[in-house]
Amino acid sequence: MTTVLTPASPLTAADRCDRCGAQAYLRVVLLSGGELLFCAHHGRKFEPELKKIAAEIQDETERLTTVPGSASEDER
């Protein structure tokens, strides 16, 4: 049996952490099927266990440190 994963769509503000309800920045696609969403805090907290059961982990936590709308000097 071959499992084909389709590219995951970007997480949005509507995607909420399954643990606490905060905005989700990680999507965990499970080997058994289905997915879990986590905020950055809970994603880090459960990372070792999630890696054992995940087919794929989509990590968008870098968005937390990116300043929206900021342009580099070359772009101005």
Side-chain angles (χ1 to χ4, degrees):
M1 182 169 125
T2 303
T3 303
V4 177
L5 297 175
T6 57
S9 58
L11 294 165
T12 69
D15 293 310
R16 310 312 286 179
C17 176
D18 290 328
R19 186 74 176 155
C20 70
Q23 184 172 347
Y25 288 94
L26 283 99
R27 174 182 284 128
V28 181
V29 179
L30 303 173
L31 290 169
S32 60
E35 68 180 26
L36 297 171
L37 300 175
F38 291 100
C39 64
H41 166 78
H42 285 111
R44 283 190 301 272
K45 181 177 180 179
F46 299 121
E47 182 180 16
E49 292 82 13
L50 292 172
K51 286 184 174 181
K52 295 175 188 174
I53 61 170
E56 178 182 357
I57 297 177
Q58 177 184 350
D59 183 351
E60 296 185 8
T61 56
E62 76 280 350
R63 291 177 30 213
L64 291 167
T65 57
T66 304
V67 179
S70 65
S72 68
E73 291 296 321
D74 295 335
E75 295 174 345
R76 291 183 191 168

